[in-house]
Amino acid sequence: MDARDWDERYARSPLLWTAEPNRWVVQHAAALTPGRALDLAAGEGRNAVWLASLGWTALAVDFSAVAVERVHQLAVDRLGPRSGAVSAQVEDVLTWVPPVGAFDLVLLSYLHLGAADRRGVLARAAAAVAPGGHLLVVGHDARNLAEGYGGPSDPTVLYGPQDVAADLADTGLVLVHAATEPRPVTDPDGVDQVALDVVVLARRSAATPAEGEPHA
């Protein structure tokens, strides 16, 4: 699906996704010291807005202009006078290059691409992590096809924690957590199911600049 397809999909519903943050973002980001956050392929901005509620300054990026407008509205609805802590812009993460070393947290949540595109996005995301900052990747695990519920049915856009770890091997980030995590869900028929998610948290040493950033 391209940006126009996603614009149409978002436009069909007042809120396509829930306004609540992803459980893995809450679990791994709640204890981090607030700073500058970048939410790539942010959708309607639920995670960026939640981070801002904790004191972060968040930039949400998505290639859907409709989604970006939703980010602004969700920030106003949820944050009131603090809504200015969230900014949003229309960018395609396949081509957009975030500023190097500019963010204390970079988030990729349920972005599913072919392996080559995923590696490129992750490399640029990792380079955007400031010294002492973190990169958090959440997605549908490849095991979900046979063992879990929901998510894409195309195996070429699915991955496991080991794939993310390999993609980050030469970025200067150190893995803090890399696992397949079960996530309880309820299907449209009201039946309890279990989805399997990739959850990877990586950190840049406070003494290690991102690639392309000047060394002291």
Side-chain angles (χ1 to χ4, degrees):
M1 298 177 70
D2 60 19
R4 182 182 301 176
D5 294 325
W6 276 104
D7 282 344
E8 293 175 355
R9 187 177 181 189
Y10 281 116
R12 288 196 293 267
S13 171
L15 193 65
L16 183 59
W17 313 114
T18 174
E20 301 304 318
N22 174 263
R23 67 168 56 212
W24 309 122
V25 176
V26 172
Q27 179 174 313
H28 290 281
L32 299 179
T33 301
R36 302 155 297 172
L38 171 63
D39 189 357
L40 292 168
E44 293 158 310
R46 60 184 180 135
N47 294 315
V49 170
W50 175 78
L51 287 166
S53 75
L54 298 184
W56 292 81
T57 299
L59 170 60
V61 169
D62 200 278
F63 71 171
S64 167
V66 176
V68 165
E69 284 302 314
R70 297 277 175 83
V71 175
H72 293 301
Q73 187 59 55
L74 186 62
V76 170
D77 293 344
R78 286 296 179 103
L79 302 175
R82 194 175 151 67
S83 62
V86 179
S87 57
Q89 62 191 61
V90 179
E91 301 285 358
D92 187 341
V93 297
L94 290 178
T95 56
W96 184 63
V97 181
V100 171
F103 299 95
D104 303 294
L105 174 64
V106 178
L107 171 64
L108 279 165
S109 179
Y110 300 107
L111 174 64
H112 288 274
L113 305 165
D117 286 333
R118 184 190 70 237
R119 284 191 290 268
V121 172
L122 281 174
R124 292 187 291 276
V129 177
H134 293 79
L135 170 66
L136 178 58
V137 181
V138 177
H140 299 285
D141 195 286
R143 289 171 48 194
N144 219 39
L145 282 176
E147 303 172 41
Y149 175 82
S153 59
D154 180 359
T156 67
V157 301
L158 295 171
Y159 51 88
Q162 72 282 357
D163 299 308
V164 178
D167 293 344
L168 299 177
D170 298 322
T171 64
L173 300 185
V174 177
L175 292 180
V176 176
H177 177 88
T180 299
E181 304 281 8
R183 175 171 50 88
V185 296
T186 302
D187 69 20
D189 296 322
V191 178
D192 291 337
Q193 305 281 359
V194 176
L196 299 178
D197 286 342
V198 175
V199 183
V200 176
L201 180 68
R203 182 178 186 272
R204 185 177 300 287
S205 166
T208 305
E211 183 179 351
E213 186 177 356
H215 292 253

